[in-house]
Amino acid sequence: MTPPVIEVTVGTDISKSNNLRSVPVADVFVLAALIGRGAMHVSKLHPSLHTQADWLALPKSLKKEEPGLSRDRLKVKGNYLLAGHIAGSHRAVTAVDRVGLLVVDLDEGDLTEAEIRQRVGKHGAVFFETANSAPENKRWRLIMLLARELTAENYRDAVKAWALSWGAALDACSTRPAQPQLLPLSFDDYTPQVYLHDGERLALHE
């Protein structure tokens, strides 16, 4: 049976709580395209991308530094997504009606791309180095489609259980389904690579 399409809430400019839209995501390739191109440009994509060759051929359109726009300011103005889907037009934890993504930061362990792929295993995932990553201490954002959508309350418990199984130390932001999670940013001295790992959806245990 084909897994259901998940409506992913995306936005731009974290300082505004009502600049949101929903984007339908059918599989990990569309998720990768959404993340690699930037949330507000996804309407330009083909509605379904079925092969890794299609994904690798996509041009990137990351939010970039501009004259007079500091790195911290860019983080505020950048594109983001939420683990939870927002019912309505305003970003708030009480507005999350369901959660279809696992979105976590892996800030400890200095993991390599190969190590993340090994640990993700049979599951599909998209991951990239965050803006705070450094060569001597790599920090990653990992995003996975869920096999079944959860409530906001169940998600908090399920993501904590997942972290224990991974041996990952999560910050509080990774358990908040309404937390804006920045998509890749391109700086003068840093252009992140977005990695796609093909596989099945993740079943989180409530």
Side-chain angles (χ1 to χ4, degrees), residues 54-104:
D54 289 336
W55 153 242
L56 292 173
L58 283 172
K60 303 297 185 291
S61 181
L62 303 181
K63 194 80 173 179
K64 292 181 171 60
E65 277 188 294
E66 302 169 10
L69 190 63
S70 69
R71 181 171 294 211
D72 287 341
R73 184 60 180 158
L74 178 59
K75 291 179 183 178
V76 172
K77 302 292 284 186
N79 298 324
Y80 63 86
L81 56 69
L82 310 178
H85 178 265
I86 297 294
S89 58
H90 288 269
R91 189 181 70 238
V93 65
T94 54
V96 174
D97 62 353
R98 58 192 186 275
V99 184
L101 297 176
L102 172 82
V103 186
V104 295

Side-chain angles (χ1 to χ4, degrees), residues 115-164:
E115 287 171 332
I116 293 176
R117 289 188 184 278
Q118 182 180 22
R119 297 181 73 172
V120 168
K122 66 180 182 179
H123 298 110
V126 182
F127 57 99
F128 56 90
E129 288 185 60
T130 65
N132 294 323
S133 185
E136 66 279 4
N137 182 25
K138 290 187 179 294
R139 298 185 172 194
W140 302 89
R141 181 153 295 144
L142 175 70
I143 304 174
M144 305 171 76
L145 287 166
L146 299 184
R148 184 171 66 86
E149 291 177 315
L150 305 177
T151 66
E153 183 177 351
N154 287 344
Y155 176 78
R156 294 186 191 96
D157 293 334
V159 74
K160 290 176 182 177
W162 175 90
L164 285 174

Side-chain angles (χ1 to χ4, degrees), residues 161-177:
W162 175 90
L164 285 174
S165 70
W166 255 58
L170 299 183
D171 61 19
C173 293
S174 293
T175 67
R176 298 171 185 161

Side-chain angles (χ1 to χ4, degrees), residues 21 34 37-45 61-63 79:
R21 60 184 288 226
L34 167 66
R37 288 291 300 272
M40 306 312 284
H41 302 287
V42 76
S43 60
K44 299 178 183 178
L45 300 172
S61 181
L62 303 181
K63 194 80 173 179
N79 298 324

